[in-house]
Amino acid sequence: MEIIKIVVVAIFVNNIVLSQFLGICPFLGVSNKVNTSLGMGAAVTFVMLIASIVVWLLQYGVLEPLNIGYMQTIVFILVIAALVQMVEIILKKISPALYQALGVFLPLITTNCAVLGVAITLVTKDYGLLNAVVFSVATALGFMLALVLFAGIRERLELEDVPKPFRGTPIALITAGILAMAFMGFSGLM
């Protein structure tokens, strides 16, 4: 039952983008096309999954036993940066089209505060390894859900007659705000 609660809360109630406002840069930057959003969501899911396992092991296997918890943020950033480089190399080999579509936003996963936020949160909440993995995957799926929903709306907006002053970024920000308010409806769930 606890795992189901973690999943529902991470995806809907405390959505990393729409409730906690972490990961806004790729949310606004990569959300022009649904396919690109799915690719970015998959890359972030992979990085969050691997990062959560490595970070948990480092936190409870190295940092705490050596009593150097103050190094947490630096260690976590280095782990995330290394994982993003690995994902970048893999995508370049496996899917050059997706690699090109993600462009500059792929290296930005390194500085994506959503990934670091998840790493710090799972340690702060003192999750066990299984719950940490479930939390990170559910949070990444929530990130992907927000990204794909937003991309779908933005694709649809391109076909609509939006008033000239609202075209582009202004309507995207208004839409993101409305989407965030819609997700606030889940806050009474748990």
Side-chain angles (χ1 to χ4, degrees):
M1 190 64 176
E2 184 180 350
I3 289 180
I4 294 170
K5 181 180 177 185
I6 290 172
V7 169
V8 170
V9 167
I11 293 175
F12 299 109
V13 179
N14 289 332
N15 186 284
I16 195 87
V17 178
L18 300 173
S19 295
Q20 297 178 21
F21 307 112
L22 296 174
I24 297 294
C25 181
F27 177 70
L28 292 173
V30 184
S31 59
N32 292 329
K33 302 276 183 239
V34 172
N35 291 339
T36 308
S37 296
L38 281 169
M40 175 59 100
V44 167
T45 302
F46 178 75
V47 169
M48 276 191 193
L49 171 65
I50 303 301
S52 69
I53 294 169
V54 172
V55 158
W56 191 91
L57 292 171
L58 285 172
Q59 178 69 29
Y60 295 109
V62 178
L63 297 177
E64 283 189 10
L66 294 176
N67 209 17
I68 54 172
Y70 58 88
M71 297 289 291
Q72 180 185 70
T73 305
I74 295 168
V75 170
F76 290 2
I77 289 172
L78 291 173
V79 166
I80 292 165
L83 289 172
V84 170
Q85 288 300 313
M86 186 177 72
V87 168
E88 199 170 349
I89 291 167
I90 291 170
L91 271 181
K92 202 177 214 180
K93 299 274 185 206
I94 293 175
S95 179
L98 180 59
Y99 176 79
Q100 290 292 357
L102 292 175
V104 71
F105 294 102
L106 187 57
L108 283 179
I109 295 175
T110 303
T111 58
N112 185 343
C113 52
V115 179
L116 182 60
V118 166
I120 291 173
T121 301
L122 67 90
V123 169
T124 304
K125 290 190 176 188
D126 204 25
Y127 284 140
L129 184 58
L130 176 63
N131 286 350
V133 168
V134 168
F135 173 74
S136 66
V137 170
T139 302
L141 292 176
F143 177 82
M144 187 185 311
L145 174 67
L147 210 61
V148 170
L149 283 173
F150 192 54
I153 293 169
R154 285 182 78 178
E155 280 184 359
R156 177 84 188 243
L157 281 172
E158 288 179 14
L159 304 173
E160 299 299 324
D161 187 26
V162 177
K164 192 172 184 177
F166 292 105
R167 289 185 187 147
T169 304
I171 196 68
L173 292 174
I174 291 168
T175 304
I178 293 170
L179 195 55
M181 287 192 306
F183 268 70
M184 283 177 54
F186 294 116
S187 62
L189 251 162
M190 296 206 178

